[in-house]
Amino acid sequence: MVDLSQYLPILLFLGVALALSGTFVFLPMLVGRLTGAHKPYPEKLTEYECGFPAFEDPRSQFDVRFYLVAILFIIFDLEAAFLYPWAVSVFGLGWTAWISMMVFIGELVLGLVYAWKKGALDWE
């Protein structure tokens, strides 16, 4: 027979996590309705992301260049995330770390040159 009492801490943790997450989601909505913050009017319900009403159906497809630029931004932004800890500890790591990072930066530069030559960074 299997002793299920070993799973009790996990179930308690799961129950507390669900209760807290539900509280953090639904309590602000309830407080907003009770305190009067929920008073919709036309100006409050207008678009706020771009400042003007949308011209097309919101479910229309985006141009693939938007996704390509976003992916390239993420890739080159992560370079900075790798450079900072390396720069802090490079003198303690030695030449191997320096050469490895130069190879990494070289690969990123090659990727940037390739994307530039292919026209992935051009926005018409």
Side-chain angles (χ1 to χ4, degrees):
M1 183 142 207
V2 178
D3 185 22
L4 296 179
S5 65
Q6 297 174 356
Y7 293 104
L8 183 62
I10 296 172
L11 290 175
L12 286 174
F13 180 76
L14 183 62
V16 169
L18 287 174
L20 283 176
S21 62
T23 301
F24 287 137
V25 169
F26 295 113
L27 186 64
M29 289 190 281
L30 178 67
V31 169
R33 289 209 183 252
L34 293 176
T35 60
H38 180 74
K39 293 181 182 174
Y41 50 92
E43 288 83 14
K44 190 174 182 180
L45 298 175
T46 59
E47 295 83 5
Y48 61 91
E49 292 175 350
C50 59
F52 53 87
F55 298 116
E56 300 174 0
D57 182 26
R59 291 180 295 261
S60 64
Q61 292 182 346
F62 283 100
D63 190 3
V64 71
R65 290 177 293 187
F66 172 77
Y67 296 109
L68 184 61
V69 169
I71 289 171
L72 288 172
F73 172 76
I74 290 171
I75 289 171
F76 291 110
D77 188 46
L78 285 177
E79 174 187 4
F82 285 121
L83 279 175
Y84 181 73
W86 171 79
V88 169
S89 62
V90 67
F91 296 115
L93 297 174
W95 284 102
T96 306
W98 189 83
I99 292 170
S100 300
M101 186 54 75
M102 293 304 116
V103 169
F104 176 70
I105 291 174
E107 290 174 354
L108 283 173
V109 167
L110 284 176
L112 179 62
V113 169
Y114 177 77
W116 201 327
K117 293 289 184 186
K118 286 291 187 178
L121 302 175
D122 296 334
W123 195 270
E124 294 131 13

